[in-house]
Amino acid sequence: MQVNLHETWHIGPVEIPSRLVLAPMAGVSVQAFRRQGRRFGAGLVCSEMVSCAGLQHGNERTLGYLRIAADERPLAVQIFGSDPVVMADAAAMVEEAGADIVDINFGCPVKKVTKTGAGATLLDEPDRACRVVEAVASAVSVPVTVKLRRGLENGSRACLSVGPRLVDAGAASLTLHPRSAKQMYTGAADHALTAELVSLVDVPVVASGDITSRARAHVMVGRAAQGNPWALQEILEGDGVEPSREEVVAELVLFMRETVRELGEHRATGFLKKFYGWYLGRGRFPRAFKAELTQLATISEVEGRLLAAVPGARFVLSRLEETLPQADEVLLDLPISIYGGG
């Protein structure tokens, strides 16, 4: 059945203007990435996962994840942890910061998360997982959603037993990445399992994993959109036209500027290096040019080199910047020094 990806849908009272969701990705889903995703058609964007312990202890970098812009909403802020009380407190902070949805991560397979009892580990502790959802849902008035994997082991079907229990505990929507935690990102996502989960619950189920084109797309797009926001348009519209070099450079430079504003020059310098390859890859620019950019000492040097290579990008960039809200019109009440690390 072909789904109209432009149709609106709801998570509780929150209206989502398209059926395309931009996934939460660690080390990627900064505010600049989310705002770009909304411009390119994502109906819902998500923060990278936020440590509930970091919020509890007032860690400045963690608090920075609660810096929310009006033009990225609706926004889900994703939290992770295993203690119901601490998760509830974190959820209350997320709501107070202005998030439209609190998302709980029961899917992260990374060892530094699972060894704390959080992430995908909770699929093997369904009682605790349900207590976490109940505590979070009781602490906030916004909808609570859960992202999960199929289970810890290859072939696991734990999501089919745990998922309905999470809904009974208060989850207003589920996102399923139907790989096991052991698989990480290898192999293929088994979306037959997603279809089974849909038949078991009466809340929206978002499909995540291997969503790279319209043919595979309610869907969550992750790695396909890294440095390639045009993938979102392709999925929504079925239009696979490759962007011009001018468009690619303009979007990259805008993303760089927004990231510096968000993270500060020092943090942004290292953070952005992976994006040079993502934007300029796919045969768009020579490999040597991408490598050259990573060797430059400052972001201003990178910007200068990009605009020298593609002078026409300046005009595209100017048009893009005219369409963006001014920073003081979209930023809520957290000081920028928190996000920039001081």
Side-chain angles (χ1 to χ4, degrees):
M1 179 180 69
Q2 183 64 53
V3 175
N4 178 4
L5 297 178
H6 287 281
E7 283 184 349
T8 61
W9 55 293
H10 289 79
I11 297 177
V14 178
E15 182 177 87
I16 315 297
S18 80
R19 291 176 177 258
L20 198 61
V21 180
L22 191 58
M25 291 176 281
V28 175
S29 298
V30 293
Q31 188 186 89
F33 183 80
R34 303 190 306 258
R35 294 176 74 188
Q36 182 187 63
R38 289 287 289 124
R39 283 196 293 111
F40 276 82
L44 176 66
V45 295
C46 308
S47 76
E48 61 181 290
M49 60 181 186
V50 181
S51 165
C52 67
L55 293 177
Q56 181 188 42
H57 294 115
N59 178 276
E60 284 198 354
R61 184 170 292 191
T62 305
L63 287 170
Y65 294 125
L66 302 190
R67 189 173 174 79
I68 296 169
D71 63 339
E72 64 184 305
R73 300 176 69 177
L75 168 73
V77 172
Q78 186 181 87
I79 59 175
F80 74 95
S82 59
D83 184 296
V85 174
V86 177
M87 286 285 279
D89 290 343
M93 293 179 67
V94 166
E95 180 180 27
E96 186 178 3
D100 301 285
I101 294 167
V102 176
D103 187 54
I104 302 173
N105 185 301
F106 289 162
C108 181
V110 177
K111 188 173 182 180
K112 69 178 181 180
V113 172
T114 58
K115 71 180 182 182
T116 69
T121 301
L122 284 160
L123 296 174
D124 264 10
E125 295 188 63
D127 291 341
R128 177 185 286 271
C130 289
R131 290 198 300 273
V132 167
V133 173
E134 288 171 354
V136 169
S138 297
V140 298
S141 59
V142 297
V144 174
T145 61
V146 178
K147 185 177 183 184
L148 64 159
R149 288 209 170 211
R150 68 180 299 161
L152 294 181
E153 301 297 325
N154 294 344
S156 171
R157 294 169 61 83
C159 61
L160 300 183
S161 59
V162 177
R165 293 186 60 184
L166 299 177
V167 172
D168 289 342
S173 176
L174 302 174
T175 296
L176 179 62
H177 185 146
R179 285 183 170 92
S180 68
K182 179 177 282 188
Q183 276 182 277
M184 299 290 284
Y185 296 97
T186 63
D190 180 6
H191 284 295
L193 206 62
T194 310
E196 287 190 66
L197 182 59
V198 169
S199 71
L200 296 175
V201 297
D202 59 0
V203 299
V205 175
V206 178
S208 176
D210 296 348
I211 307 297
T212 58
S213 67
R214 186 175 180 84
R216 300 300 302 275
H218 267 305
V219 296
M220 178 175 279
V221 181
R223 288 172 290 166
Q226 292 176 347
N228 192 34
W230 300 274
L232 301 175
Q233 286 185 334
E234 191 276 328
I235 292 170
L236 275 173
E237 309 294 346
D239 179 4
V241 176
E242 177 69 14
S244 68
R245 286 162 58 95
E246 288 77 11
E247 289 172 312
V248 171
V249 168
E251 283 291 346
L252 174 54
V253 171
L254 179 62
F255 183 79
M256 289 161 54
R257 291 179 179 179
E258 287 288 289
T259 302
V260 170
R261 181 190 62 78
E262 184 181 351
L263 302 184
E265 181 86 21
H266 178 70
R267 280 183 62 198
T269 299
F271 174 85
L272 283 166
K273 287 187 176 182
K274 56 180 173 279
F275 284 90
Y276 303 151
W278 288 342
Y279 273 90
L280 305 178
R282 302 173 176 86
R284 295 169 179 164
F285 287 82
R287 183 174 297 178
F289 181 65
K290 295 179 287 183
E292 176 190 341
L293 296 182
T294 65
Q295 301 304 310
L296 296 177
T298 67
I299 291 173
S300 61
E301 289 179 276
V302 174
E303 179 175 324
R305 183 68 183 89
L306 285 165
L307 295 176
V310 188
R314 294 180 185 274
F315 303 103
V316 180
L317 178 62
S318 179
R319 291 199 301 270
L320 281 175
E321 291 187 315
E322 288 175 0
T323 68
L324 297 178
Q326 295 300 308
D328 58 0
E329 294 177 342
V330 300
L331 296 176
L332 299 185
D333 239 1
L334 280 172
I336 198 156
S337 62
I338 287 180
Y339 211 107

